[in-house]
Amino acid sequence: MFVILLRISLSSVMTSDGANNALQAWDILHGNVLLHGWIIGDATYYTFELPQYAMVELFVGLRGIDPHLVAALTYLIVAGCGLALARTGSSGAAAAARSAVVVTVLATPLVGERGVSRLLESPDHIGTSAILLACFLLIDRAPGRRFTASLLGVILCAGQLGDATVRYIAVPAVIVVCGYRVLAARKIRSTDAAIALAAAASVPLALVARAVMLHFGAYAMVPPPAGFSPLGHWPQNALLDWQNVISLFGAADLHPGTAAGTATAAFGLACLLAATAGFGKVLWTWRRASLADQLVCVTIILYYTVYVFSSVPPGRLYEIAGILPCGAVLAARACVPGRFASAARGKTALVAAALVALLPLAVAASRPPAKQPAVSIAAWLEAHGLRYGIAGYWDASAVTLQSGDRVQVRAVRFSVRFVAGAWEAKPSWYNASQHDATFVIADPPHAYGADNIAASTFARYFGRPVARYWVGYRTILIYRINLLKHVVPGSSAPDDRRRTVV
């Protein structure tokens, strides 16, 4: 499964999001455990994905393949947690068939390029669902153990340090479900009460842990958005959320008018319907449903409603990525009984489920590897002795990682002046007394956007370059001045991703 996921991951372009995580993990490996000097985005992934990056780099070093290896590993862990949760209460062929259904649901969105880039590539909230599912597994498998509540609190606390989604989704889900069970049983002193209390206590514990880290010089970060959207936006947000759910399961037509696109959309729709059936079954049999089923069901509801009411800009599919593995669990439990009446029926169901699971995996893995622009750029810069420069966000760290940090390119953005990056960056990178930036990487004309900068913009601001080269679709401008002397320190910007750093 890991090899297949890695092959699928290679069909997507490695970007600076994953490259920055790789550079942060490289710093951790070299002793900067608290990432002193870093300004990280509103989700740090400090306690889940970054340790995976550090482990991978310990064996293979700082290389362009690192984000692909970690992406495959993260998705594999998510799938493993989903499999373990879906198999609860089953055995033999039934357990294996449920596993195949989970794999099917998780693999179907990867048939499309958008699904790969949003779910499998750079840390973008999908890994957080592994923390959620691991918590539910702990509660489901060891509800009466003495260590369950305390261990759950520690996991939730660690999860919140990496992604606020744990605070706004996982913690409320545990409190709501366990609180309901306490009220239904009319017994305050119970395991459910202890678990709910541990979940609630994890929030102030995470805040204290973050304060202690800051005291010892840990990374700064851009705070996640935590406001409410205007009431009039809620209906539109709900519609966009539903459209995202459809895309999340691969039910959107990937290639309109083609047989392949229609077939893939139909396959994704079947997965969505199976998950919906499992969701409806849990609601219909709520009082008899298992604790794990109730937790997964409430988690899906929270994922959907939180982003309807929140100030996070709607339409960002990756924000609700956790719905997919949760839906996969419910689909498996709805489609496959805990046990089959006969061995023959169980074998038939298992073979059918396995073949269905292999289909989207095979199709997704057959997509050709993507051409990585950073490869040729890094090789060209290194061959010409160029070691330090600036670029727009999406090229900067990607080229740095691809070169193994031998060529260092730092992200800048432009409004009226060129400003140092204040998102996934270190202010020390822009110190003109320590570094001499002599080149820029300009984006191609068709890639203009908020984080892309045209060659004409660089030339207009820094003056006429002494040389101009074209490498692939990028333009390299060479200067005899230290460009960092003309880059002002980073500050907050109106962009939703770059708020005041705390």
Side-chain angles (χ1 to χ4, degrees):
M1 184 72 174
F2 175 79
V3 172
I4 293 173
L5 290 172
L6 177 59
R7 177 62 184 80
I8 296 171
S9 175
L10 291 172
S11 68
S12 183
V13 175
M14 182 269 293
T15 70
S16 285
D17 278 345
N20 281 319
N21 291 127
L23 294 175
Q24 290 157 16
W26 192 246
D27 253 15
I28 291 174
L29 275 181
H30 287 77
N32 188 9
V33 178
L34 293 178
L35 293 177
H36 175 71
W38 276 91
I39 301 174
I40 306 182
D42 53 13
T44 67
Y45 309 108
Y46 182 76
T47 51
F48 186 63
E49 281 90 345
L50 289 192
Q52 294 180 61
Y53 269 96
M55 181 182 68
V56 166
E57 291 169 0
L58 185 63
F59 289 97
V60 304
L62 191 66
R63 300 176 58 190
I65 198 173
D66 293 351
H68 299 292
L69 291 168
V70 174
L73 182 59
T74 299
Y75 211 71
L76 182 65
I77 295 173
V78 172
C81 291
L83 293 178
L85 202 57
R87 290 164 63 98
T88 301
S90 64
S91 61
R98 283 185 174 183
S99 300
V101 172
V102 172
V103 171
T104 302
V105 176
L106 291 177
T108 299
L110 303 182
V111 173
E113 183 178 352
R114 186 176 186 224
V116 176
S117 62
R118 288 291 180 262
L119 295 174
L120 187 58
E121 281 311 293
S122 314
D124 234 340
H125 301 287
I126 186 63
T128 302
S129 58
I131 298 175
L132 275 66
L133 296 176
C135 289
F136 301 163
L137 266 173
L138 175 65
I139 297 171
D140 185 58
R141 298 290 179 87
R145 300 293 183 90
R146 291 183 178 180
F147 61 82
T148 300
S150 55
L151 181 57
L152 175 72
V154 171
I155 295 173
L156 289 175
C157 173
Q160 290 172 65
L161 292 176
D163 189 351
T165 301
V166 176
R167 178 176 303 159
Y168 299 120
I169 304 295
V171 172
V174 173
I175 294 175
V176 167
V177 172
C178 291
Y180 161 80
R181 294 173 74 91
V182 168
L183 294 176
R186 298 181 181 180
K187 186 178 180 181
I188 300 298
R189 297 185 64 181
S190 64
T191 300
D192 290 324
I195 291 173
L197 183 61
S202 70
V203 176
L205 182 60
L207 295 176
V208 170
R210 174 63 178 148
V212 171
M213 292 172 66
L214 284 172
H215 175 74
F216 287 101
Y219 57 84
M221 67 175 292
V222 177
F228 285 92
S229 62
L231 180 62
H233 292 180
W234 292 359
Q236 180 67 14
N237 289 353
L239 177 60
L240 289 172
D241 255 6
W242 177 244
Q243 292 174 349
N244 278 337
V245 170
I246 294 175
S247 296
L248 193 63
F249 281 82
D253 195 344
L254 303 175
H255 304 285
T258 66
T262 303
T264 303
F267 210 82
L269 180 61
C271 293
L272 178 58
L273 291 175
T276 304
F279 182 81
K281 181 180 178 181
V282 174
L283 292 181
W284 184 257
T285 61
W286 181 261
R287 292 186 177 182
R288 303 191 308 274
S290 69
L291 178 56
D293 286 342
Q294 292 174 339
L295 287 167
V296 172
C297 190
V298 171
T299 296
I300 291 177
I301 294 173
L302 287 171
Y303 260 117
Y304 192 86
T305 56
V306 162
Y307 288 103
V308 169
F309 303 142
S310 79
S311 57
V312 174
R316 304 203 307 198
L317 181 147
Y318 52 84
E319 297 284 2
I320 60 169
I323 290 179
L324 181 67
C326 289
V329 171
L330 294 180
R333 296 176 68 82
C335 295
V336 182
R339 288 174 179 78
F340 289 107
S342 66
R345 184 176 298 178
K347 290 180 181 179
T348 302
L350 173 57
V351 171
L355 290 175
V356 171
L358 285 173
L359 183 60
L361 285 174
V363 173
S366 67
R367 295 178 66 238
K371 184 178 180 181
Q372 306 289 340
V375 173
S376 56
I377 297 173
W380 189 93
L381 291 171
E382 191 171 0
H384 287 75
L386 298 168
R387 294 293 182 265
Y388 213 94
I390 60 175
Y393 176 81
W394 294 111
D395 280 330
S397 292
V399 173
T400 302
L401 174 62
Q402 193 64 58
S403 72
D405 207 33
R406 292 182 296 274
V407 175
Q408 298 176 344
V409 186
R410 306 312 183 191
V412 294
R413 48 196 172 89
F414 182 80
S415 52
V416 178
R417 298 174 296 176
F418 275 100
V419 181
W423 175 275
E424 302 288 338
K426 298 174 73 172
S428 61
W429 288 348
Y430 306 92
N431 190 328
S433 64
Q434 297 178 8
H435 307 289
D436 184 14
T438 57
F439 68 88
V440 303
I441 303 174
D443 294 290
H446 62 271
Y448 293 165
D451 294 302
N452 298 310
I453 307 171
S456 57
T457 303
F458 282 114
R460 186 169 60 250
Y461 188 84
F462 292 118
R464 185 176 179 179
V466 296
R468 183 187 299 252
Y469 301 93
W470 288 267
V471 181
Y473 293 103
R474 303 311 196 266
T475 305
I476 312 296
L477 306 180
I478 312 297
Y479 288 87
R480 288 199 180 100
I481 60 173
N482 186 354
L483 302 174
L484 295 179
K485 293 181 178 179
H486 304 277
V487 175
V488 300
S491 61
S492 59
D495 185 288
D496 68 281
R497 296 203 315 167
R498 296 180 173 88
R499 293 169 292 280
T500 303
V501 176
V502 298

